[in-house]
Amino acid sequence: GAAATAVVGVLRKYKSENQLPLNAELDAVEVYADVRGFEADITGVMHVADLAVHPDGDAPVETVVTGIDLDYATVGPKYGDQVGDIEAALAQDDYEIDDDELHVAGVTLLGDEFSVEKTRQYRGDGELLEVDDVVVIVSNEA
């Protein structure tokens, strides 16, 4: 029941953020969580025309690097004039991350000299909604 409650909550939030009334119909919703037995509740309460449940499936979502933040207090004194080259290479996505090392502009930065920003994304049709371990994809023409 917790996953079904999470789905209803995230769909309510979706409707609110998109200025849709709570009784507005959603064309299609895909749920990547075990909400078996609660399908009728979700479709009824949230007015979902087509609900697809994938209780054991992996959501078509990937984690991607969106940026690298340098610890300038450490990197500046250590690499001095090379910092500009490091920043330019990062801006062009010309780097490699290997475990806890960042290889960029001919130098290797260690884990305490940088942090990696990541986000989860979905490249298909519809909008990705996530809460806890529940992934919901909403496709709506409205």
Side-chain angles (χ1 to χ4, degrees):
T5 301
V7 170
V8 169
V10 78
L11 290 176
R12 282 181 185 269
K13 183 178 177 185
Y14 170 83
K15 286 184 175 185
S16 175
E17 289 175 350
N18 288 282
Q19 299 178 347
L20 297 171
L22 286 177
N23 65 351
E25 185 169 277
L26 297 175
D27 296 329
V29 173
E30 289 187 68
V31 176
Y32 291 85
D34 191 356
V35 294
R36 291 176 287 194
F38 295 96
E39 295 93 342
D41 297 319
I42 294 169
T43 57
V45 170
M46 295 313 301
H47 305 277
V48 175
D50 182 21
L51 177 68
V53 176
H54 310 281
D56 300 318
D58 290 331
V61 178
E62 63 182 346
T63 301
V64 295
V65 173
T66 57
I68 305 289
D69 289 329
L70 299 176
D71 179 359
Y72 287 100
T74 305
V75 173
K78 186 172 180 180
Y79 296 102
D81 293 342
Q82 293 176 292
V83 172
D85 295 337
I86 293 169
E87 291 174 325
L90 291 173
Q92 296 175 359
D93 292 331
D94 186 17
Y95 61 87
E96 288 184 26
I97 300 173
D98 184 22
D99 292 324
D100 204 22
E101 295 180 344
L102 173 66
H103 305 282
V104 59
V107 299
T108 299
L109 303 178
L110 303 178
D112 61 340
E113 298 172 330
F114 69 96
S115 61
V116 180
E117 295 175 9
K118 296 179 181 180
T119 190
R120 290 177 40 90
Q121 70 181 20
Y122 168 67
R123 294 183 189 248
D125 293 331
E127 186 172 336
L128 170 67
L129 311 173
E130 292 184 283
V131 61
D132 300 325
D133 291 334
V134 177
V135 174
V136 177
I137 298 171
V138 178
S139 299
N140 199 40
E141 296 298 320

